[in-house]
Every structure is written in C-alpha cells, then in structure tokens.
Amino acid sequence: MAQMTEISEGGLYYDGSKESLQTAIAIAQAVVDAGVRQEQTDVNVAVSALESAILTAMASQAVTYVTFEELTASEWSDPSAARGQATVSGDEIQLSFQTGNRTEVVYDKLIGSREILCFEFALDQQNSWHGFAIGQSDRAKFITNATGYFVCFSGDKIELQKYIDGKKVTGNNLLEITNTGESKLFASGKTYSIQLGALQNADGSVRIFFKVDDNVIIDYLDTENPIVGDNGFGVVIQKLATNGVAHLKQADLTEVEKADYTVLETELA
C-alpha cells in the first residue's frame, strides 16, 4: 500500500484506487479478528471482496509503456529447445528460426498487466505465418499449446487468436483483418515500430492492443472468459518454408506515441 501512489500525487494509480483497497482490507481484517466466531458466509464475502479489490487496484494503474529491459540472449528461451535461438548482435537481439512446422522464442520476463511492450522489429523473410504471443501463461509451451493470445500474420492477413489449455477458443479467430494497403504487413527486411499489450481492466475484461508504426491494427476488448494473470510475450514462427531471422531492438520510449487510454476505455464501456 505504501508504494501505491495515485495520479494526483504523481503516481500511476487512478484516484480512489487506494481507498477501495483499504476498505476491502479492513473488511477482511475484521473477519480475521472475529476468528472462529465468524460465519463461513461472511468469510466468503470478505475473501471475494478482497480478491476483487486487489484485481481492481492492479487494473486501476494507468497504462505505461515499456521496452526490453536488457538485450541479453539469456533472457530468451525456446520451448522446443531445438529450433530457435537468440543471439546479441550490436544493439539488437537476433532470433534465429530453423525450418519446421513451428518455432517460438519466448522472452523470459513478464509484461505487466497494464503495460504495453514497445520494440523495433524486422524479419529477414516474410514468407509464411508469423506472429507475437501475449498474455501467455505457460511459456514452456508453444502459444498454440498453452493459454494466451496470439497475433499472427501472413502477407495481407492478420488474425487475433485465443487459446486456453492448447485449444483455440470456439475454434474461430477473435478477429480477422485483411490489409488493403499497397504493401504487405511486415515486408522482408523492413524495420517496424511495434506496440503490443494485453491490458487487464478493472471490470475483468482484457484489451488486446497491437500497433504497427502509426497504424492501430488491433484494438479488441475481450469480455468472454478473458485471460488474466501472468503476461508472457513470445515471437512465433510457424510453418516456415526456410530458415529465418527476426531482429528486435529496444524502443526509444521518449519517441513512442502514446494513446489516451482514459478516453479509449470510456468509448469501449
């Protein structure tokens, strides 16, 4: 609580967040103080209120923008332990993918529930399905075998997929987009500025945000059994025809164009 500073005090949490959490803690403390004399229903109410308050407090943090903390190969791992590897080359991480049905190289650090990951991205070859995993709960598995969201793309097609325990939800994509522009998304050898996040909101919903350069590609609010909790990030290569390399650099956060999420969340309410 001492580290929870609200926006009016120069912090990141919306005003009123601390009071809500303090009220729930007081209710829970009263249950603890009553001990064995307390009814089980009161205990259940207190536990539920505290869990809800904690989630609300976490989701009441203003959206912040982050980039990779360090460019070290040890912070990346391959669930298959065979096909993908990370190396450092100058000021970038190079993720090398071997020919095969699929390969995923996973960033070992978690992305916060109210954070958007920003980075520079380029592919040597844009010749098949590729993508980014976000909100991935089990980073020891491929995103398509785990729980999380998967933004995948091939040429002019972009899909937002959702997996729970390795099964695509409802068997369909949450979102399908056809890029009608003159150029394909992620042309070979070109560097792009990426913003990607799975933002957990106070009402329990999750907002998947995906921006490429100046274009918001995906801004989707998931309200049906949204995925909350650990927020893992991965770069995925699937059905790659030949070996490939993806290049990732830290973003200059002073140059990142930030959205007004207070306004956006009101529009989606």
Side-chain angles (χ1 to χ4, degrees):
M1 289 288 292
Q3 296 178 343
M4 187 176 178
T5 308
E6 296 179 346
I7 291 176
S8 61
E9 301 171 337
L12 294 175
Y13 290 87
Y14 293 122
D15 291 350
S17 303
K18 183 181 288 189
E19 182 180 356
S20 297
L21 184 56
Q22 286 175 330
T23 299
I25 291 174
I27 293 173
Q29 187 62 53
V31 173
V32 172
D33 293 342
V36 295
R37 295 173 296 162
Q38 193 71 292
E39 296 291 337
Q40 184 61 46
T41 54
D42 294 330
V43 174
N44 294 341
V45 168
V47 170
S48 177
L50 184 56
E51 289 177 345
S52 177
I54 291 173
L55 175 61
T56 299
M58 291 173 58
S60 294
Q61 182 176 339
V63 173
T64 55
Y65 292 73
V66 299
T67 190
F68 303 123
E69 291 186 7
E70 298 178 10
L71 289 176
T72 57
S74 62
E75 293 183 346
W76 296 82
S77 59
D78 176 12
S80 70
R83 295 188 181 131
Q85 62 177 351
T87 57
V88 179
S89 178
D91 61 348
E92 70 178 29
I93 285 284
Q94 293 185 357
L95 306 182
S96 302
F97 304 94
Q98 296 182 16
T99 303
N101 181 52
R102 56 187 172 184
T103 301
E104 178 176 0
V105 179
V106 180
Y107 185 48
D108 285 341
K109 294 186 179 297
L110 293 177
I111 310 304
S113 61
R114 295 289 287 173
E115 292 180 341
I116 290 180
L117 180 64
C118 306
F119 56 97
E120 302 294 311
F121 176 77
L123 277 169
D124 280 359
Q125 302 173 52
Q126 167 57 55
N127 59 358
S128 188
W129 283 98
H130 314 277
F132 303 118
I134 192 71
Q136 186 171 352
S137 59
D138 188 346
R139 290 167 294 156
K141 300 178 180 178
F142 292 115
I143 179 61
T144 49
N145 291 336
T147 294
Y149 298 100
F150 184 27
V151 177
C152 55
F153 42 87
S154 177
D156 61 352
K157 301 290 185 182
I158 305 107
E159 297 177 355
L160 173 59
Q161 301 176 355
K162 176 181 176 182
Y163 290 87
I164 295 180
D165 295 331
K167 295 181 179 180
K168 186 189 290 188
V169 175
T170 71
N172 299 314
N173 300 319
L174 295 182
L175 198 64
E176 296 181 2
I177 301 170
T178 299
N179 179 22
T180 58
E182 295 181 0
S183 61
K184 294 182 178 180
L185 186 66
F186 298 134
S188 301
K190 183 178 178 181
T191 300
Y192 299 85
S193 296
I194 306 296
Q195 294 183 19
L196 178 67
L199 305 174
Q200 299 177 26
N201 299 316
D203 62 1
S205 64
V206 172
R207 183 175 191 164
I208 298 90
F209 184 81
F210 178 50
K211 184 178 181 181
V212 180
D213 290 338
D214 296 326
N215 303 310
V216 176
I217 307 298
I218 294 175
D219 191 357
Y220 181 89
L221 190 67
D222 186 14
T223 58
E224 282 194 40
N225 194 23
I227 298 167
V228 297
D230 289 346
N231 203 351
F233 166 76
V235 177
V236 182
I237 300 295
Q238 290 197 312
K239 300 180 181 177
L240 190 63
T242 58
N243 295 344
V245 177
H247 306 262
L248 290 87
K249 294 182 179 181
Q250 292 173 310
D252 183 352
L253 297 180
T254 64
E255 299 294 327
V256 170
E257 182 180 353
K258 301 177 181 179
D260 184 349
Y261 279 91
T262 304
V263 173
L264 291 175
E265 287 174 2
T266 301
E267 291 174 351
L268 284 173

